[in-house]
Every structure is written in C-alpha cells, then in structure tokens.
Amino acid sequence: MIKFTFLVVYMILILGLMVNEIQGKQGICHKILADTDCGLGSCTALCLQLWKGTGKCVATNDGSLICLCNFHCIIS
C-alpha cells in the first residue's frame, strides 16, 4: 500500500511539472507605445487598458519622451 501511495504522489508531481512546462513561463514584457502622448497620465491609462500593465514616460537620448509599457506575459 505504501508503494502504491508513493507511486501516485510521484505521478501527480511529474504531471504537475509537465503542465507547467507546457503552459510556458510568465515574465515581464516591454512595449513602446509610439503614438501615445506623454501628458496627464495617458501613457499609464493606455497601458493599463491594453495589457493591464504599468506605463511610464521615459526620455530618449535625443530628449524626446516615449511611453514604455511593462506587463505580465507568457514567455515561450
């Protein structure tokens, strides 16, 4: 009976690991929203609406502002 219980627990753990691999791993993705104005929170609002993420305006090397959106995604 103990061997059978051990075998069942072992198989459940292995199947759980296989399902996790099939589904992919979650990570943080980044996307630049080029057509977004960086005034009055529009970057944050659009990022939240599109991907349920957080948006922030960042300065580029030439001094212009771009909207950088960070959100959770599945990495395959």
Side-chain angles (χ1 to χ4, degrees), residues 27-55:
I28 301 289
C29 290
H30 313 283
K31 185 142 181 122
I32 295 175
L33 303 176
D35 298 336
T36 306
D37 180 23
C38 281
L40 297 173
S42 59
C43 175
T44 303
L46 185 61
C47 185
L48 183 65
Q49 181 182 7
L50 292 175
W51 296 290
K52 297 180 183 169
T54 57

